[in-house]
Amino acid sequence: MKRVELKELTEKKAEYLNKEVTVCGWVRTSRDSKNVAFAELNDGSAMRHTQIVFDKSKFAPDILGNCLNLGSALKITGKLVEGMKAEAVEIVAEKVELLGECDLSYPLQKKRHTMEYLRTIPHLRVRTNTFNAMFRIRSELSYALHEFFHKNGFYYVHTPIITGSDCEGAGEIFKVTTVGYAPNVKSEEDYYKNDFFGCAAGLTVSGQLEGEVMATAMGKIYTFGPTFRAENSNTPRHAAEFWQIEPEVAFAELDDIIEIATDMIKYIVRHLLTRCADELKFFDERFEKGLIAKLENVANSEFARVDYTDAIEILKKSGKQFVYPVEWGCDLQTEHERYLTDEVYNKPVFVVNYPKDIKSFYMKLNPDGKTVAATDLLVPGVGEIIGCSERENDYGKLLKAIEVRNMKMSDYEQYLDLRKFGSVPHSGFGLGLERMLMYVTGIGNIRDTQIFARTKSNLS
Ligand code: 4AD
Ligand code: MG
């Protein structure tokens, strides 16, 4: 089906003006008057709708009537002319073909629906301006991430989705099994013996452990794929299925990886500012006033950095009544992170050197014996978007970290081998794609960054 995309009509206006064009799309708004009718068409390629003008004397009334239904899919041939608004174009229709009539029960009749309502119709909400813009940004963001790593000499590797070990050690793995419910098995081993893999298996929570395998052979790698967590947290920033970008770099210490993370964030934000200007303007107007200025600031200014121990002091001196009390050794809760990002720094901040007991087994122990060379990048409005660390590369210390956590040693034999055979300092991080999307759009709920959100008690 030959057609010109609507985006191209505005971008290459001079080329198409006063010529006959054929376009396709769905009717977003329509108006009918005595002699003329108007429909605004969108084909998903751009924010801006294209106005189609129908001279009613040229079309049979019954044909035009159905074409004007909101949601109808049309193919239009006509002349491209200057529009009323600056830059805009219009098409004066000569021919119209109703590709798909839209039933009057189409739920998107109103101009604005609540986000809650739209979540109940995930298959249709993607046709709204908000979700069109979200998914164009999601696509551009993913492209920019690949571009950043490619330009900087990283190899893109594909780590497995089905795995036998729990990277974060948090027991949040979704099981993968082909064996049905069996109430009379004697033990867990007995149960899994008959299962597909002959042992317990699950969906990966992170590609890091396999990423380390690749980094200690290839130098600089990244993975970019779906990760899964059966977390029981029903918050606006937790999803059960989310995408993570995880670089892993050999011969890199904590400061080196922080530099890479900073460069990456600035690179992708700059990319969006140039490639998604219309979409960001839309989110700035509708969801977060000052969004573009915020992003420009991210692209052009230094990120803050604070030691965990100093952050605890800042929180203690804040005079705020937190629900979760603040003491050295506590995990930072959303309310603490929010205070640091929204009230103290007002920009991205790396909190570094967390207590070892609240972090994962693989993080490098600092010389103080109490903290690990780890950092979270926190941003205003969202909180943690990156979890990052230098990895423990000492065999004995790693063994101990696995032991004290009562983790199953046999699951980590290969991982330990990396520390036996030419171990090197290495570091990496994980950026949550959906959290980043929340930050760059001002959308307050992670459910609105995914097509079909997967969250606790919800498989829409
Ligand atoms: O801090 P996390 O748990 O770190 C890791 O998984 C490391 N293995 C990454 C690495 O070093 N390669 O998760 C990393 C990021 C978080 O900062 C957050 O952005 C995102 O993944 N994330 C989630 N996003 C949405 N829903 C959830 N339930 C998430 N859990 C983590
Ligand atoms: Mg984390």
Side-chain angles (χ1 to χ4, degrees), residues 173-193:
I173 290 210
F174 282 101
K175 288 192 174 116
V176 173
T177 173
T178 53
V179 178
Y181 175 65
N184 46 8
V185 282
K186 286 180 233 86
S187 64
E188 219 180 326
E189 267 78 39
D190 192 39
Y191 178 84
Y192 289 119
K193 214 168 58 207

Side-chain angles (χ1 to χ4, degrees), residues 1 11 29 32 40 140 151 186 260 291 329 367 451 453 455:
M1 193 176 277
E11 278 182 358
T29 66
D32 199 2
E40 288 204 307
E140 280 297 332
K151 276 189 179 166
K186 286 180 233 86
I260 293 170
L291 177 76
I451 309 174
T455 51

Side-chain angles (χ1 to χ4, degrees), residues 167-168 172 205-209 223 227-229 231 233 237-248 359-360 362-363 375-377 384-389 391 427-436 446 450:
C167 170
E168 292 306 306
E172 290 163 346
V205 296
S206 161
Q208 177 193 326
L209 302 191
T223 72
T227 50
F228 309 85
R229 292 192 191 178
E231 274 168 295
S233 11
R237 43 183 220 143
H238 284 92
E241 174 176 334
F242 60 97
W243 281 61
Q244 248 193 101
I245 298 89
E246 296 181 274
E248 194 67 35
K359 287 290 184 190
S360 299
Y362 52 73
M363 297 178 176
T375 182
D376 282 355
L377 179 63
E384 178 194 336
I385 59 168
I386 283 180
C388 171
S389 65
R391 317 310 189 187
S427 304
F429 66 82
L431 167 72
L433 183 72
E434 288 81 2
R435 298 253 178 107
M436 187 66 195
I446 200 159
Q450 302 184 317

Side-chain angles (χ1 to χ4, degrees), residues 429-449:
F429 66 82
L431 167 72
L433 183 72
E434 288 81 2
R435 298 253 178 107
M436 187 66 195
L437 280 166
M438 291 171 73
Y439 185 50
V440 297
T441 58
I443 283 276
N445 197 313
I446 200 159
R447 291 174 173 84
D448 303 325
T449 63

